[in-house]
Each structure stands twice: as C-alpha cells, then as structure tokens.
C-alpha cells in the first residue's frame, strides 16, 4: 500500500519524500479537524449532566443527555 | 497475488490502525484541552469586555442580599418577567431593581466561576445550556434551573476529563469550600455542604429547586455542580450542593474567599 503510493509519486527521491510528508500532514489535519471531533462524542467522557429537560418520565439510559 | 504481498499489506494495515489509535488518544487527552483552554479564555475575555462596556444585564446586586433567608420577597429566578426583558440588552438601564436578570442566551457565557479548592488560578466561564458544544467552551448551566443568585437551584455541569479537565479535582471538594461566581455586577459566594455525592445519571432530583438528598432544608438560593464518575466513565455522576452564603457588589472588590 505505502509502496504503491511511493512508486506513484512523481519526481526524484527528495521530491517523493517531500510529497509523502505533505500527504501525512494533510491526513493528520483531516483526522484532527473532522474525523476525531466526530468520533469523540461517542466516547463516554462527555456525559457530565444528569438527565434534565427531557420531558416528564423520559428516563433514558446511561447515555445521559442525548447526543 | 503472492503471500508476500498479502503479509505486507496486512502488516501495513496494522501499523496504520495502530498509528490512528495513538493519534486519537493524543487528540482526546491533549488536543481537546488545548482547544478548550483557548475557547474558555476567549469566553472569559468576551465576558470581561462586555462587562467593561457596562452591558451587563442589570438588576441583580440588589436583591439576594442575605443568602438563604427565605421569603424576602424576591421572585424565583425564572427570568421570564416580560417587563424586564423587553428592553434591548445593553441599553445601560441601571435603574433599580428588575428582580430577575434577563434570560440567559443559549450557548453564551454569562458568569465566571472560581473555586479556590481547585487552585487560585482556576476560573472558568459559565455558559447557558448543557449541549455538547457548549460544554466544550466552559461550564454549562442547566437551562431549566434557577439563575445565578436567584431563589432555586443554580445548577452547573462540567467536564471532569477532556476539554480542559475543568472538574478534574471534583472529589477534593469538601463541606465549607467556597464556590465564587461573578456576573459582572455582583460576587456570589456559595458554600458547599456535602462531600461529593455519587449518584446515577437518571437521578434528576439532584438539581431540583430544593435538592432533597443534600440536607438543605426548605427553599433557598442553592447551587449544584455535576460531573461524571468514574473519571473516564459515564456510569455515574458526582454531585455537590452549596448554599448562597454572601453577595457583594463588584465595586467592593473580591470577596473574602478569593483573597489569600
């Protein structure tokens, strides 16, 4: 997989290395900017409230406030 | 396709997934804190510049006076008195006395909280609402509960871990600890009455106007803080309650609890 990418990058070795670095940085940026913020609420650290304002009798599970 | 290619691809996949997991841990433990600290600072700055311009929702200061004494005529803090809210915000109406401050705006900061037990540099903005996005920028006020300093139960939730770890030291709180808040015109000093109480997320009674398990008796001006328990989990909640002990206008300087 990585070998395939390497072979398909243009230029000499230096240019390839530079492009690889750019790819990695771009990938990490995408992760931090979009993917992780989406995934993070699926973890339990966000549930700090007691159920409230959910209307009478709607006692939901341990997920607390719906999100 | 040879075995070699299969094995190599599999190895590369494993490495990639491992790297992803490490990056995600870095994001959760470190990056959310960086982002939250920046967001909280900017919320506090926003508040302070609003206060400096005198666009504070006028009209507290006067009434709470002496804390927990019931029946001193102030209205419960539901903030919905039509007469007061009709004025456009920030028109500098210092004329005396609307009993309740204007309703808080969802997702906007309206106060700063200080808890000396968490360190003398610890201060966090309090925002209206407990939405996920709101709690990323500070502490969240349960919109259904009383307003700051009003009769009823002013209830606030905060992250224990991630997003700046505002309530990391929550279990350290002890009876008698002050929780100080300011809305730009008044300092409110609450006193905690219990050691952190562990309960279930469904126990919504803890933010009732008179939280029955707190030992606080009769209607009064109360405060409730909630966060998650265990530290990295969500199976329970930790709760502390406090009562309004003292108020003073900001012109008189910081309250006793913040001087050291």
């Amino acid at each position: 997989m990585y070998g395939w990418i390497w072979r398909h990058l243009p230029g000499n070795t230096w240019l390839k290395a530079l492009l690889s670095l750019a790819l990695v940085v771009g990938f990490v940026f995408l992760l931090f900017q979009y993917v992780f913020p989406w995934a993070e609420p699926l973890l339990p650290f966000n549930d700090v409230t007691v159920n409230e304002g959910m209307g009478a009798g709607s006692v939901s599970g341990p997920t607390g406030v719906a999100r | 396709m040879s075995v070699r290619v299969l094995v190599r691809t599999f190895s590369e996949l494993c490495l990639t997934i491992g790297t992803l997991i490490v990056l995600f841990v870095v994001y959760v433990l470190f990056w959310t804190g960086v982002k939250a600290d920046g967001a909280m600072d900017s919320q506090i700055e926003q508040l302070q510049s609003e206060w400096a311009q005198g666009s504070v929702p006028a009209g507290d200061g006067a009434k709470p006076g002496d804390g927990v004494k019931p029946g001193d005529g102030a209205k419960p803090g539901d903030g919905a008195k039509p007469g007061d809210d009709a004025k456009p915000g920030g028109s500098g109406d210092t004329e005396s006395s609307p009993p309740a401050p204007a309703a808080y705006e969802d997702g906007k900061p309206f106060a700063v909280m200080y808890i000396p037990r968490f360190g003398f540099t610890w201060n966090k903005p309090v925002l209206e609402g407990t939405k996920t996005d709101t709690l990323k920028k500070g502490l969240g006020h349960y919109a259904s509960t009383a307003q700051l300093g009003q009769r009823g139960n002013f209830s606030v939730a905060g992250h224990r871990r991630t997003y700046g770890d505002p309530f990391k030291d929550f279990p350290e709180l002890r009876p008698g600890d002050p929780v100080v808040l300011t809305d730009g015109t008044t300092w409110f000093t609450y006193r905690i009455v219990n050691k952190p109480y562990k309960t279930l997320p469904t126990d919504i009674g803890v933010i009732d106007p008179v939280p029955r398990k707190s030992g606080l008796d009769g209607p009064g001006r109360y405060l409730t803080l909630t966060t998650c328990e265990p530290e990295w989990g969500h199976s329970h909640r930790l709760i502390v309650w406090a009562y309004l002990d003292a108020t003073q206008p900001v012109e008189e300087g910081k309250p006793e609890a913040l001087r050291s």
Side-chain angles (χ1 to χ4, degrees):
Chain A
M1 167 168 75
Y2 293 119
W4 183 88
I5 295 174
W6 183 261
R7 281 194 299 279
H8 284 75
L9 287 172
N12 61 13
T13 306
W14 286 110
L15 186 59
K16 282 176 186 234
L18 206 67
L19 286 173
S20 311
L21 197 69
L23 276 179
V24 169
V25 168
F27 189 61
V28 170
F29 173 80
L30 283 183
L31 285 177
F32 272 58
Q33 195 65 27
Y34 301 105
V35 182
F36 290 162
W38 163 83
E40 197 267 348
L42 307 178
L43 291 172
F45 319 134
N46 276 308
D47 299 326
V48 294
T49 56
V50 290
N51 286 352
E52 56 92 34
M54 315 234 77
S58 100
V59 176
S60 59
T63 42
V65 172
R67 47 180 60 109
Chain B
M1 190 180 282
S2 68
V3 177
R4 174 189 287 263
V5 171
L6 275 180
V7 169
R8 186 176 62 205
T9 308
F10 179 71
S11 314
E12 286 178 346
L13 263 179
C14 288
L15 278 173
T16 309
I17 291 168
T19 311
L20 270 182
I21 291 173
V22 169
L23 280 175
F24 187 56
V25 170
V26 168
Y27 173 82
V28 169
L29 297 192
F30 174 71
W31 192 245
T32 58
V34 172
K35 279 203 299 190
D37 285 344
M40 289 182 193
D41 286 348
S42 79
Q43 296 293 322
I44 288 183
E45 268 165 34
Q46 182 185 332
L47 267 180
Q48 277 166 348
S49 73
E50 277 172 24
W51 292 344
Q53 291 161 11
S55 63
V56 191
D60 12 329
K63 71 315 62 177
D66 50 0
V68 279
K69 196 169 293 174
D72 55 350
K75 297 185 190 71
D78 45 25
K81 188 116 178 302
D84 319 326
D85 299 347
K87 288 167 210 145
S91 56
D93 35 8
T94 47
E95 75 209 38
S96 60
S97 76
Y104 301 138
E105 208 178 321
D106 186 49
K108 291 286 180 339
F110 61 88
V112 180
M113 181 184 288
Y114 301 78
I115 302 181
R117 172 72 71 181
F118 294 166
F120 276 89
T121 55
W122 191 97
N123 59 80
K124 302 288 172 196
V126 184
L127 284 68
E128 175 68 351
T130 51
K131 297 198 184 88
T132 310
D133 278 347
T134 306
L135 288 168
K136 288 178 182 177
K137 293 182 281 191
L139 309 173
H141 168 238
Y142 290 84
S144 61
T145 64
Q147 289 184 292
L148 177 56
Q150 299 292 317
R151 296 187 63 187
N153 191 350
F154 177 74
S155 302
V156 174
H159 279 290
R160 176 131 168 232
R161 278 301 188 171
T162 71
Y163 291 101
D165 304 340
F167 279 166
K168 177 161 68 77
D169 298 325
F170 203 87
E172 312 289 317
L173 292 170
R174 287 298 174 268
D177 282 358
V179 176
V180 182
L181 289 115
T182 179
D183 61 0
T185 56
T186 312
W187 288 101
F188 300 88
T189 305
Y190 289 86
R191 294 274 167 197
I192 290 174
V193 296
N194 66 312
K195 283 173 85 168
Y197 168 76
K198 185 174 168 180
T199 189
L200 289 170
T202 48
D203 187 9
I204 59 174
V206 299
I207 58 169
D208 280 348
V210 181
R212 66 202 150 86
K213 289 173 188 156
S214 63
L216 294 165
D217 216 6
R221 303 171 193 278
Y222 300 135
L223 166 119
T224 303
L225 304 179
T226 72
T227 194
C228 66
E229 164 79 11
E231 203 164 351
W232 295 101
H234 65 165
S235 61
H236 291 76
R237 300 288 181 270
L238 275 190
I239 314 292
V240 296
W241 292 285
Y243 64 92
L244 186 60
D245 186 37
T247 62
Q248 66 184 67
V250 286
E251 296 84 44
E252 290 178 19
K254 289 189 172 185
E256 197 63 42
L258 291 186
R259 295 188 203 131
S260 69

